Amino acid sequence: MALLEAQNVTKSFGGLTAVNSVSLTVERGSIVSVIGPNGAGKTTFFNVLTGIYKPDHGSVIFDGASIAGQRPDQITRQGIARTFQNIRLFNNMTAIENVLVGMHARLSAKMWQIIFQSPSVRAEEPRARARARELLKFVGLEGRYDELAKNLPYGDQRRLEIARALATEPKLILLDEPTAGMNPQETLEATRLIQRLRDELGLTVILIEHDMRVVMTISERISVLDYGEKIAEGKPEEIRANARVVEAYLGRGAAAGH
Amino acid sequence: MSTTSLPNSPFAALNRGPLAYVALTAYILVTSALMLMNTRTSLGTDVLFILFLLSFLLLYRAKVSNSYKLALGAIMLIGVVPYFGTMNAYYIELAIQAGIFVALAIGLNVVVGFAGLLDLGYVAFFAVGAYLWGIFSTDQIGQISPGASPVASQLFYLFMALGLFVGAFFGVLLGLPVLRLRGDYLAIVTLGLGEVIRVLAVNLDRPINITNGSQGIKSIARPPLPDFLRALFPGLNDPQLYQLFIYALALLVVGLTVLTVFRLKHSRIGRAWEAIREDETAAIAMGVPLVRMKLMAFAVGASFAGVMGVLFAAKQQFINPPTFDLIRSIGILAMVILGGMGSIPGVILGGVLVTLLDLQILPRIATELSALKRQGIVIPDWFDPAQYQRALFGLLLIIMMIFRPEGILPDQRRHEEAHATEDQEALAEVETGEATPA
């Protein structure tokens, strides 16, 4: 059974339908991309999947249970993690603290246990820190644990966001433009990291991405949104050859001239 | 900036190494001794008292072992201060007031400093605690339910614990309607709710007389003086012992408050609060339940105020609504901001400093100026120093916010936050500077 099944998801703001009856099925262990021109509704679709917006219509089934209309923290608990298009780290917290916040739902310390420093809390905290360091190592931030998030270079901030998302122990990770603003070298490294998420951690990945080289290299399937509607879906080579996609990206004239 | 440049100053040698132990101990000994030799309330004693209090700051900043710090700090708090207090009641009263407000500032710091929820009605929870003991320990309880008699004063400790829960309950109650609000809106609504509590205290003398209205509640019971205190200090009279007793209780509450908040700050809960302050959307997307965590911050902050309210009522033996007005809330907020939002040592310092300014330093300046005026030193007739006390306080706040917006002892991160924008401005100036010649 598919890990994620979104059926006819619709979300509108006032008169504008940002996402119009979009369906998406994601198989376990796959890497899927959602592409489309600016304003196509990709991020809104992500926000519906992660509970930041409630869908007006449609259903979202994740791992066999309906999650549409649940709160973001509840959805995260069930195993969907995400990063943001414009990096949203906790800037004035250190790298390791950012990751520790991601573990919030997976730690069990209750207020009274913390106040009285119960044995379980005293054992849990160092374990969490060790795990956080592991995750930071995994994304390539070894030794930068105590640096404030805002002082990290841009590329490292993107990595930290991924480490923080991994800390929630997800089954599915949504990456919103993970290579935006990166130079070719950084993009290459980011692409490798995304592949490792699947190959080494066994995660399922959905990404929104504008860099077509990245999209075409790592996606198994691609969905294309335009004006809030899904206009195409398929393997990378099918999408490359799809006339409606070329038209959406380059305009009708270019498509005709092709 | 001054904190970071300290190692380069000529005093650097005094701040670390064996010399630090000597210098620190010497300073504390000298100021303590001088203070204990001058017990009459005067300008000189005021100055010595403040110099003595400064040793806590030095203690905090000096690079000596933590156990040594703890030992010295304990000697000063448990030994020197109360001993001095037995010789001059005014100064122990100052210490008690400072303790009460430090605990309040620490509580408000949980809400404002940690979770980033601006609360202008915090004193309401202090009022709830005070009225709790005020009503139950006096005949006021008979007004509410005829025939009921005041609870035994031995139950005071039970009521301190009760104050914790009642405070927390009201914290959640007042937190609920403001959960969706942020920043300015939140501040205004909490201000309103705080005023509602005060107005209720004024008007709930009808139809059932619960609060005794604007007349307030008199003759509030005090906890009985423990016998062992009398046995321990046979040379002291009961009022002196009583002050020591209240001082010890206040110190205990402050100590427990600090410990609790310190542990919460460095835990899963403290990190969640901080994450909410930084970015709510990101926090909830990382699995932090916003509503729960915000209510928890309100409850924890309010519970400390509830406990201190009970103690305050017993200490004052009289409470009335004006004690719990908006200015009081703002005063506590000023302690938090002046000391350093989010920083526990900073907020303690802020609490002590604002209390001293309010009760000691500013009145002292006013009396000294008035004395000069009487001696014919040129101070214009229309200038009444006592009337200008609060203006001076306001001026101090303004100066602080301009030159050290992050507070006196900032949370390390806040410190960098405040100065990062400074760096950016400096950078922008450099860039525009380069652009202008072209």
Side-chain angles (χ1 to χ4, degrees), chain A residues 61-129:
Chain A
I61 310 287
F62 174 70
D63 208 12
S66 169
I67 56 166
Q70 288 192 19
R71 291 196 319 262
D73 57 300
Q74 294 171 324
I75 292 176
T76 304
R77 237 166 241 266
Q78 291 172 54
I80 300 184
R82 70 172 293 175
T83 65
F84 294 90
Q85 184 178 356
N86 317 305
I87 304 174
R88 296 187 86 145
L89 287 167
F90 308 120
N91 277 323
N92 294 298
M93 297 174 83
T94 61
I96 195 164
E97 284 172 333
N98 267 274
V99 177
L100 285 167
V101 171
M103 287 180 193
H104 184 88
R106 308 298 173 200
L107 301 178
S108 66
K110 300 274 176 296
M111 169 137 27
W112 295 112
Q113 295 175 324
I114 293 166
I115 292 173
F116 295 110
Q117 289 289 298
S118 75
S120 64
V121 169
R122 268 182 289 176
E124 183 181 79
E125 193 68 5
R127 227 184 299 133
R129 289 188 174 266

Side-chain angles (χ1 to χ4, degrees), chain A residues 52 72-73 76-77 82 84 88 90-93 97 100-102 104-105 107-109 111 114-117 125 129 148 150-151 164 168, chain B residues 164-165 260 263-264 266-269 271-272 274-275 277-279 281-290 293 296 300 413 416-417 420:
Chain A
I52 292 185
D73 57 300
T76 304
R77 237 166 241 266
R82 70 172 293 175
F84 294 90
R88 296 187 86 145
F90 308 120
N91 277 323
N92 294 298
M93 297 174 83
E97 284 172 333
L100 285 167
V101 171
H104 184 88
L107 301 178
S108 66
M111 169 137 27
I114 293 166
I115 292 173
F116 295 110
Q117 289 289 298
E125 193 68 5
R129 289 188 174 266
L148 290 187
K150 67 176 177 196
N151 293 343
R164 185 180 67 174
T168 67
Chain B
L164 187 87
F165 291 104
T260 304
R263 286 182 169 172
L264 284 176
H266 298 281
S267 76
R268 156 180 188 260
I269 294 175
R271 288 189 297 261
E274 222 173 321
R277 189 193 75 202
E278 290 286 313
D279 187 331
T281 307
I284 196 168
M286 292 306 126
V288 173
L290 273 193
M293 284 297 148
M296 217 182 252
V300 170
R413 303 199 193 95
E416 294 180 35
E417 199 176 336

Side-chain angles (χ1 to χ4, degrees), chain A residues 211-251:
Chain A
D211 188 323
M212 282 308 141
R213 245 172 312 174
V214 176
V215 172
M216 295 299 166
T217 344
I218 60 175
S219 328
E220 271 120 36
R221 290 191 76 78
I222 299 173
S223 292
V224 189
L225 297 190
D226 191 23
Y227 292 110
E229 289 181 38
K230 188 162 88 177
I231 56 169
E233 185 178 357
K235 298 197 175 100
E237 50 273 26
E238 293 164 6
I239 296 299
R240 212 192 308 254
N242 186 309
R244 273 193 82 186
V245 176
V246 176
E247 186 187 308
Y249 266 93
L250 301 176

Side-chain angles (χ1 to χ4, degrees), chain B residues 26-38 48 52 80:
Chain B
Y27 180 88
I28 292 174
L29 277 179
V30 170
T31 50
S32 304
L34 281 175
M35 187 177 77
L36 292 173
M37 285 187 289
N38 291 275
L48 287 172
F52 166 75
V80 182

Side-chain angles (χ1 to χ4, degrees), chain B residues 155-234:
Chain B
L155 288 182
F156 174 76
Y157 306 101
L158 177 71
F159 271 78
M160 274 180 92
L162 217 56
L164 187 87
F165 291 104
V166 173
F169 173 75
F170 272 81
V172 171
L173 202 67
L174 296 197
L176 277 172
V178 299
L179 281 172
R180 295 170 162 279
L181 306 173
R182 297 181 198 190
D184 324 359
Y185 308 100
L186 177 69
I188 294 300
V189 175
T190 53
L191 184 153
L193 288 172
E195 281 299 278
V196 165
I197 296 277
R198 188 185 61 83
V199 169
L200 281 178
V202 175
N203 290 296
L204 276 186
D205 51 349
R206 275 165 298 161
I208 307 167
N209 185 355
I210 298 175
T211 63
N212 207 27
S214 52
Q215 297 188 335
I217 301 177
K218 287 190 291 287
S219 328
I220 296 172
R222 306 197 296 186
L225 190 63
D227 289 328
F228 74 88
L229 269 178
R230 282 204 189 89
L232 215 56
F233 306 103

